[in-house]
Amino acid sequence: MADPDKAMDEAGLANPSVREYVRYWAELTGADRVEVVSAADDARLIDEALAAGELEPAGEGRYYSRSYHKDTARSEERTIVATNDPKDKGVYNNWRPASEMRPLLESKMRGALVGKTMYVVPYLMAPPGNVLAPWAAGVELTDTRTVVLHMIRMARVGSEFVNDLEDPDSFVRAVHVTGELESLGHGTPDDQRYFVTVADERTILHFGSSYGGNALLGKIAHGLRQGAYDGWDSRKYLAEQYMLIGIHDKETGETYHICGGFPSASGKTNLAMMLPPDALGDRYHVSFYGDDIAWLWVDEESGRLYGMNPEYGVFGVAKDTNEITNPTALKSIDEGTGTIFTNVAYNPQTQEVWWEGRTPQPPADVTGWLDWMGSPIADREPGDDSPWAHPNSRFTTTLDNVPNIAPDYNAASGVPIDAIIFGGRTRDREPLIRAIDDLAEGVYDGLTLGAEATFAAEGVDGQLRYDPMSNRPFMAYGEGDYARHYLDVVGAAKEQPIFAHVNWFQRDPEDGHFLWPGYRENLRPLLWLIQLKKGEVTGRKTPVGIIPTKEELLLDGVEITPEDLDTILSIDVDRWRQEIGFREEHLAQFERMPEEIWEAHRRVAAALEAEAQAPAE
Ligand code: GTP
Ligand code: SPV
Ligand code: MN
């Protein structure tokens, strides 16, 4: 049996409440050893992981890891938010009673660390000194060394972040056990995996995965689910799956901050790492604050809406990352950055990595190359064109490695928010950008955010998988209460941010090509949005928001045909009227949806009907 007190004494982990929690779980899991981790332990832990074969070298100062082949993504159907109040049940949070979940998870974790080390990872999900820091401290316990290495990259880690809490008890208890992955019945009726946040007890209990969002508990479980619940419970803040960027105008010296939500794998990291297009690079610079999570609150002094990124690293999608789409990402994961790649293709002979879209064709000489499951490419049957890398293969790197990291990303203050944008993958109907200058309509738009899913195959043509505010997998309490809280937090700001809906993914119905080139060019509609907010352009009013005229968008150097440009700057009223029907059903599922949201819905519907009767122009 371990001696947790000795380990905690050596590491200077002094908080008495934390010490009691560590003792409790060391005892329950039966851990052989307890080790308290800080960021300074990284090099030693990397060496241990290499020696144990948990990591392999991927060139100088970079590492490769391969997961169990069924453990490659978050599992939404196994994810639960539990509380002690049935009123917290929403449509998407898979609510269950805390009294049922806690004993169930404790039974799964009992004895699970016999013969193993329990790593203790104290962390902070906030820049130190931030006003929301009281909700940002946590201590993850985990049985998995590579999870520790990811946590060190993704969060601020060390005993100092929990030793001096004003209330010693105010840290999130985050317990992670990977368990024996081969025997968990993935996807069967007897699935053993449970990813539970007991939100009103500020306890996270995740069993059965070592994948990012399931295992790095500071990130999704605390940064989004627990954060959202605490933000509502305290009435103080919002925790959202948002990127956060600054756009600096070198000519005027001004900087604007935009945050916004796109569902998973829809372009947040790429937008945050954006290099301006060549034609605009002399004047504008885009800086990275965050690419996946933002916490938002109203600053007491200025009365403005503020935002910060609680994370310390990037857990990015590898697919299609290359010199043209995202040169910034490639620099962030270069040799010497300490990057960990997961489930990409790997060549142990040359220590190279590759993924689909890294280069137009895979390496021509397949000698030594292994696909993400470890099978030699050279042994493949002719005609086997399954991907070399898993489509959700990822890279993990710290913010310090990101070339366009904002100089003040670590500042306690956070930054004032000028605009909030929403966007999903939508092949038709949604224009390049439509601006919304009304709070209720902006929140309504976020709540009805949709992304392409498989509905078309089930016969409901054009219907989206709705993903309110891109938060569907992270929703922690009822959606109607969430809408109310969102209206209250943002509504309390003296200067209202402008909202917008963006879409980089409209396609040609015939040949499927993307109408908008995307990536670096996405700066252009954002610059228009800022100009609109400042009254420098007026755009064109439509029933669903204001869209730019061709003349207003700075288009020099963009490769797009006049026909495609017309399509992405216009509104298909009939498609929109169809969408309004789907939205009505979507909103009707939620209890206590505020009347302002329904009013916004009816306003948009009525404007569309008026437009259909008497087309403008
Ligand atoms: P999560 O980390 O899962 O929350 O994803 P994310 O929203 O950060 O998405 P990310 O930026 O990693 O992009 C996901 C995929 O979309 C990648 O394969 C990108 O190459 C692709 N993508 C991003 N931006 C664009 C764009 O403007 N146009 C097109 N066509 N593809 C894009
Ligand atoms: C997402 O899936 O939205 C992510 C990656 O950002 S993770 O949640 O860690 O799986
Ligand atoms: Mn995400």
Side-chain angles (χ1 to χ4, degrees):
M1 266 299 290
D3 184 352
D5 280 293
K6 188 160 168 268
M8 291 189 281
D9 286 344
E10 279 168 13
L13 184 56
N15 179 322
S17 299
V18 172
R19 292 177 70 106
E20 190 187 313
Y21 154 75
V22 170
R23 268 186 231 113
Y24 177 85
W25 284 96
E27 164 96 36
L28 187 138
T29 59
D32 260 25
R33 291 168 299 278
V34 169
E35 188 180 319
V36 181
V37 175
S38 88
D41 296 316
D42 191 59
R44 175 181 54 82
L45 290 167
I46 288 276
D47 287 344
E48 290 176 14
L50 287 167
E54 297 155 358
L55 291 181
E56 295 183 68
E60 177 56 34
R62 304 199 305 185
Y63 312 96
Y64 175 63
S65 82
R66 187 181 294 127
S67 78
Y68 173 57
H69 72 282
K70 290 181 180 170
D71 189 31
T72 56
R74 280 184 294 103
S75 172
E76 293 181 15
E77 62 296 344
R78 307 300 307 165
T79 301
I80 288 162
V81 177
T83 68
N84 293 281
D85 185 353
K87 246 184 108 183
D88 294 335
K89 181 176 164 58
V91 172
Y92 296 133
N93 65 352
N94 294 334
W95 182 86
R96 301 278 281 278
S99 58
E100 195 181 297
M101 285 298 112
R102 192 184 263 278
L104 176 69
L105 270 290
E106 290 202 348
S107 76
K108 294 199 177 298
M109 292 173 173
R110 187 160 290 121
L113 269 66
V114 172
K116 296 187 177 171
T117 299
M118 184 174 97
Y119 296 95
V120 178
V121 187
Y123 65 80
L124 183 70
M125 299 305 290
N130 181 265
V131 284
L132 301 182
W135 289 275
V139 179
E140 174 160 356
L141 309 178
T142 178
D143 60 351
T144 307
R145 185 158 34 206
T146 50
V147 167
V148 178
L149 290 166
H150 279 85
M151 276 297 285
I152 288 174
R153 282 155 184 72
M154 295 303 298
R156 294 164 175 90
V157 168
S159 296
E160 66 272 28
F161 296 115
V162 299
N163 273 348
D164 302 318
L165 302 177
E166 204 165 301
D167 170 3
D169 208 39
S170 67
F171 64 95
V172 169
R173 290 153 167 81
V175 188
H176 167 252
V177 174
T178 297
E180 304 304 321
L181 291 173
E182 289 80 0
S183 62
L184 298 177
H186 285 75
T188 70
D190 192 33
D191 205 321
Q192 300 294 306
R193 299 170 301 153
Y194 280 90
F195 308 115
V196 181
T197 299
V198 188
D200 56 355
E201 298 177 8
R202 303 195 81 220
T203 297
I204 297 163
L205 303 169
H206 278 206
F207 178 78
S209 169
S210 67
Y211 169 76
N214 298 331
L216 315 178
L217 301 187
K219 182 177 176 57
I220 299 290
H222 183 165
L224 288 171
R225 296 193 192 97
Q226 184 68 54
Y229 189 90
D230 289 342
W232 173 59
D233 186 52
S234 65
R235 300 294 185 267
K236 282 227 167 8
Y237 69 102
L238 297 166
E240 301 290 320
Q241 194 198 199
Y242 287 176
M243 59 87 213
L244 172 53
I245 57 175
I247 299 178
H248 182 66
D249 182 338
K250 297 178 211 168
E251 212 168 281
T252 65
E254 284 174 290
T255 301
Y256 306 95
H257 298 100
I258 301 181
C259 68
F262 316 158
S264 299
S266 300
K268 293 180 300 297
T269 300
N270 277 272
L271 194 66
M273 290 188 170
M274 181 170 40
L275 202 62
D278 290 335
L280 301 178
D282 284 343
R283 175 152 181 197
Y284 297 101
H285 174 77
V286 176
S287 50
F288 182 117
Y289 286 90
D291 74 324
D292 201 47
I293 304 180
W295 286 11
L296 306 175
W297 71 99
V298 172
D299 174 57
E300 277 188 9
E301 209 167 298
S302 64
R304 291 194 65 184
L305 186 69
Y306 265 64
M308 61 87 169
N309 171 19
E311 301 195 89
Y312 195 57
V314 177
F315 183 60
V317 174
K319 187 172 160 40
D320 286 332
T321 303
N322 60 52
E323 283 82 359
I324 294 161
T325 57
N326 196 341
T328 312
L330 290 183
K331 290 206 184 90
S332 313
I333 59 180
D334 214 346
E335 301 216 322
T337 53
T339 300
I340 302 175
F341 296 95
T342 306
N343 289 345
V344 298
Y346 175 63
N347 189 330
Q349 295 174 12
T350 61
Q351 302 187 1
E352 288 171 287
V353 289
W354 190 83
W355 51 82
E356 271 63 30
R358 174 66 189 85
T359 48
Q361 296 299 324
D365 179 2
V366 300
T367 313
W369 278 100
L370 306 176
D371 69 15
W372 69 273
M373 291 196 276
S375 306
I377 301 290
D379 294 356
R380 287 190 164 188
E381 301 287 332
D384 178 353
D385 56 2
S386 53
W388 289 26
H390 189 277
N392 192 37
S393 57
R394 300 245 169 188
F395 54 80
T396 310
T397 189
T398 56
L399 294 185
D400 286 328
N401 291 323
V402 177
N404 70 326
I405 188 70
D408 57 344
Y409 83 90
N410 219 2
S413 59
V415 292
I417 301 295
D418 297 285
I420 300 178
I421 64 178
F422 301 116
R425 284 175 181 265
T426 320
R427 64 177 57 236
D428 68 351
R429 185 177 54 79
E430 279 294 358
L432 179 63
I433 185 167
R434 48 187 179 85
I436 300 167
D437 56 6
D438 172 83
L439 172 62
E441 275 179 41
V443 176
Y444 162 70
D445 189 75
L447 292 170
T448 51
L449 171 60
E452 277 162 23
T454 55
F455 290 107
E458 288 163 14
V460 190
D461 209 18
Q463 190 166 348
L464 302 171
R465 176 182 129 116
Y466 289 107
D467 189 339
M469 309 276 187
S470 76
N471 246 347
R472 173 180 172 139
F474 317 118
M475 209 54 97
Y477 56 100
E479 288 78 4
D481 296 331
Y482 169 80
R484 176 78 267 152
H485 181 52
Y486 202 112
L487 290 167
D488 290 346
V489 170
V490 181
K494 265 191 217 142
E495 183 186 325
Q496 288 295 293
I498 191 164
F499 287 86
H501 197 110
V502 300
N503 183 20
W504 321 139
F505 298 98
Q506 200 170 150
R507 286 176 188 255
D508 183 279
E510 243 99 85
D511 66 12
H513 79 268
F514 288 111
L515 301 187
W516 174 250
Y519 296 104
R520 294 171 67 177
E521 310 301 344
N522 296 337
L523 180 60
R524 300 170 192 268
L526 299 183
L527 288 173
W528 172 84
L529 181 66
I530 297 295
Q531 286 185 301
L532 182 74
K533 189 176 184 225
K534 292 170 63 182
E536 294 170 5
V537 294
T538 53
R540 183 166 71 83
K541 235 179 143 60
T542 80
V544 290
I546 304 165
I547 62 182
T549 65
K550 262 182 271 192
E551 295 69 35
E552 288 170 351
L553 272 184
L554 302 170
L555 286 172
D556 40 327
V558 186
E559 280 180 37
I560 186 167
T561 66
E563 298 76 44
D564 286 355
L565 185 61
D566 281 337
T567 308
I568 62 173
L569 295 181
S570 61
I571 299 293
D572 179 344
V573 173
D574 286 331
R575 274 291 284 113
W576 270 97
R577 290 166 72 203
Q578 180 194 25
E579 168 64 12
I580 287 290
F582 297 141
R583 286 184 173 189
E584 185 125 355
E585 282 171 42
H586 166 64
L587 284 181
Q589 309 169 81
F590 305 127
E591 284 178 51
R592 298 186 293 281
M593 188 51 70
E595 189 49 31
E596 291 103 301
I597 301 300
W598 281 111
E599 278 166 14
H601 173 71
R602 289 192 290 267
R603 267 202 307 281
V604 172
L608 280 164
E609 288 313 306
E611 181 92 354
Q613 301 308 319
E617 282 149 288

